[in-house]
Amino acid sequence: MALGYLYFCYDVICNYSTFAKDVAKLSVGHPNHEDFDRMSTEMTGFLSVFHGRTHVWDCQVIHNGRWKDGAPASLGEEQEQVFAKLSRYGSVTKHMSPASRLDHLTEAIFYHNEEKEQSMVQSLVKRLMKANKKVAEYVKKLQNILALLGLQEKDLPVILQQLQQSALEKKIQVQLSIL
């Protein structure tokens, strides 16, 4: 089974890399070892927007999804949104039999998916129109900030690389101080 994903979002991605490498090592001989190995070497994780803000600065810099080339501009909070939607059923289903609870939640999930599918086109068009309106505003803000700092847009990739290098050095320094 070939995995086609390049990126995935995880709230504690800073701990995932070590875990994935350990799983890959332990899975030698397992029928899915190749997939486990690929998950530790080919996939790149990033922090969700809101959870990422609670991490130390070096983790935020290293794992920021907005800076991953080709990654979507996802919040990374989609599961939490579904959980929030389904949490309203807790007070109703807690008194049901397991079979009735399963039926009720299955119907709720089907309803949730149907709602999303029906509003998908309108939602995407609305988001595109909003994004198109914001482009000029953000370009102007960026130009103002760059002018204030005496920088040009071409300087940004170098600055990002320097920032990421500093973050990696800080992370290594912290890891060595723990030993």
Side-chain angles (χ1 to χ4, degrees), residues 7 9-10 12 15-16 25 28 35 37 42 45 48 60 62-63 68 78-79 94 99 118 130-131 133 157 159 166 179:
Y7 297 105
C9 185
Y10 190 47
V12 286
N15 297 321
Y16 177 80
K25 286 178 193 172
V28 173
D35 288 336
D37 192 49
E42 295 179 23
S48 60
Q60 291 181 42
I62 294 167
H63 300 292
K68 305 287 183 193
E78 289 75 12
Q79 286 179 310
K94 68 181 177 182
Q118 287 180 359
K130 183 178 178 181
K133 286 180 185 177
I159 293 170
S166 294
L179 298 174

Side-chain angles (χ1 to χ4, degrees), residues 56-59 166-179:
V56 294
W57 80 269
D58 54 308
C59 183
S166 294
L168 283 171
E169 289 170 3
K170 166 100 171 36
K171 182 179 178 180
I172 290 168
Q173 183 182 28
V174 168
Q175 289 173 342
L176 291 175
S177 70
I178 293 172
L179 298 174

Side-chain angles (χ1 to χ4, degrees), residues 118-172:
Q118 287 180 359
S119 65
M120 185 77 65
V121 172
Q122 295 90 345
S123 176
L124 290 174
V125 168
K126 185 177 176 181
R127 287 181 184 186
L128 178 62
M129 290 172 56
K130 183 178 178 181
N132 285 336
K133 286 180 185 177
K134 292 280 188 181
V135 167
E137 176 186 337
Y138 287 132
V139 165
K140 186 175 180 180
K141 280 184 180 182
L142 176 61
Q143 289 171 347
N144 289 340
I145 292 170
L146 291 174
L148 182 68
L149 298 173
L151 298 170
Q152 295 180 4
E153 193 171 342
K154 66 179 182 167
D155 299 328
L156 295 178
V158 174
I159 293 170
L160 176 59
Q161 188 176 20
Q162 291 170 345
L163 185 60
Q164 289 173 330
Q165 182 61 39
S166 294
L168 283 171
E169 289 170 3
K170 166 100 171 36
K171 182 179 178 180
I172 290 168

Side-chain angles (χ1 to χ4, degrees), residues 13 22 25 29 83 108 138:
I13 198 64
D22 289 345
K25 286 178 193 172
F83 296 153
Y138 287 132

